[in-house]
Amino acid sequence: DQQVKQNSPSLSVQEGRISILNCDYTNSMFDYFLWYKKYPAEGPTFLISISSIKDKNEDGRFTVFLNKSAKHLSLHIVPSQPGDSAVYFCAAVQARKIHGSSNTGKLIFGQGTTLQVKP
Amino acid sequence: DAGVIQSPRHEVTEMGQEVTLRCKPISGHNSLFWYRQTMMRGLELLIYFNNNVPIDDSGMPEDRFSAKMPNASFSTLKIQPSEPRDSAVYFCASSFSGSGELFFGEGSRLTVL
């Protein structure tokens, strides 16, 4: 039961072009979405996020789009650079209160998409 | 500031042996997560703690897996007995008040022969 799915295991683009990574989710209760980037032999690192009340968030070359009706989000990288070559994971979380005091969330990740940017 | 620290980085063991993975979260973070990375399932959540209390362990594969968090600065994930299918990279991550942004350690690569 994969609640967050990345259906493309890999993507190859030319340097300077746009990279589009896609992600689908099934749980309509998710209210916050994130993208993580992972280099070999390292842990994933946070890249960009978006709240469910928005449909777009931009940070430099990275833009995340959210389509709630389609339960779909995408990450656009423009222009793509060789250093962007990595595995990209999308993740979703439903915030919840624990013991009435703190918020926490169960972050669910997709399978990951390996991006290769060719010089 | 030190990030999330995991040990060992690499572990090779034989089937049937006990394996203990360790994690020190970022100081001040109150949520701790254990994930397992495999090719088929990507990053799979095993268990997470909030304020040292296990909140959701539904991802723990079976009774051979157990996790503890005796205090805010230390957690262990134990596999006993280990099996070849447990071979994977195990990540520990921490966050503050469920901000959603997790900080990951470098992972522990486990190989069970």
Side-chain angles (χ1 to χ4, degrees), chain B residues 79-99:
Chain B
I79 308 172
Q80 166 64 17
S82 58
E83 296 181 2
R85 60 191 167 124
D86 301 330
S87 298
V89 181
Y90 291 80
F91 287 101
C92 175
S94 68
S95 72
F96 177 72
S97 291
S99 66

Side-chain angles (χ1 to χ4, degrees), chain B residues 44-108:
Chain B
E44 182 183 14
L45 178 65
L46 301 177
I47 185 172
Y48 79 99
F49 297 83
N50 185 256
N51 293 325
N52 310 340
V53 176
I55 302 301
D56 188 335
D57 65 354
S58 59
M60 295 287 260
E62 46 197 272
D63 293 344
R64 298 185 296 107
F65 286 69
S66 63
K68 294 182 179 180
M69 192 165 186
N71 56 63
S73 59
F74 184 66
S75 177
T76 59
L77 177 67
K78 186 176 292 187
I79 308 172
Q80 166 64 17
S82 58
E83 296 181 2
R85 60 191 167 124
D86 301 330
S87 298
V89 181
Y90 291 80
F91 287 101
C92 175
S94 68
S95 72
F96 177 72
S97 291
S99 66
E101 182 181 341
L102 302 189
F103 294 81
F104 283 82
E106 294 184 313
S108 294

Side-chain angles (χ1 to χ4, degrees), chain A residues 35-71:
Chain A
W35 284 93
Y36 278 76
K37 178 179 179 180
K38 183 185 179 303
Y39 292 118
E42 295 183 9
T45 55
F46 171 75
L47 186 59
I48 192 170
S49 64
I50 187 167
S51 166
S52 60
I53 62 174
K54 296 186 176 181
D55 55 19
K56 177 182 174 181
N57 187 28
E58 190 173 349
D59 183 3
R61 297 184 297 113
F62 302 91
T63 303
V64 56
F65 295 91
L66 176 62
N67 182 334
K68 282 178 291 186
S69 61
K71 294 190 179 68

Side-chain angles (χ1 to χ4, degrees), chain A:
Chain A
D1 179 21
Q2 196 81 13
Q3 295 186 65
V4 179
K5 297 180 182 179
Q6 294 175 256
N7 293 317
S8 297
S10 63
L11 174 67
S12 181
V13 299
Q14 207 66 33
E15 180 179 7
R17 306 295 291 269
I18 184 171
S19 294
I20 300 177
L21 296 98
N22 294 302
C23 179
D24 297 295
Y25 61 95
T26 57
N27 189 343
S28 58
M29 298 300 290
F30 288 142
D31 51 16
Y32 195 63
F33 304 88
L34 308 91
W35 284 93
Y36 278 76
K37 178 179 179 180
K38 183 185 179 303
Y39 292 118
E42 295 183 9
T45 55
F46 171 75
L47 186 59
I48 192 170
S49 64
I50 187 167
S51 166
S52 60
I53 62 174
K54 296 186 176 181
D55 55 19
K56 177 182 174 181
N57 187 28
E58 190 173 349
D59 183 3
R61 297 184 297 113
F62 302 91
T63 303
V64 56
F65 295 91
L66 176 62
N67 182 334
K68 282 178 291 186
S69 61
K71 294 190 179 68
H72 177 84
L73 66 155
S74 61
L75 174 68
H76 292 210
I77 307 174
V78 181
S80 302
Q81 300 174 354
D84 297 330
S85 298
V87 179
Y88 289 79
F89 291 96
C90 71
V93 62
Q94 175 190 352
R96 58 183 286 204
K97 285 194 179 293
I98 300 297
H99 305 309
S101 59
S102 61
N103 291 326
T104 190
K106 181 175 171 177
L107 203 60
I108 306 297
F109 284 83
Q111 304 95 314
T113 296
T114 300
L115 173 66
Q116 182 185 23
V117 180
K118 297 179 180 179

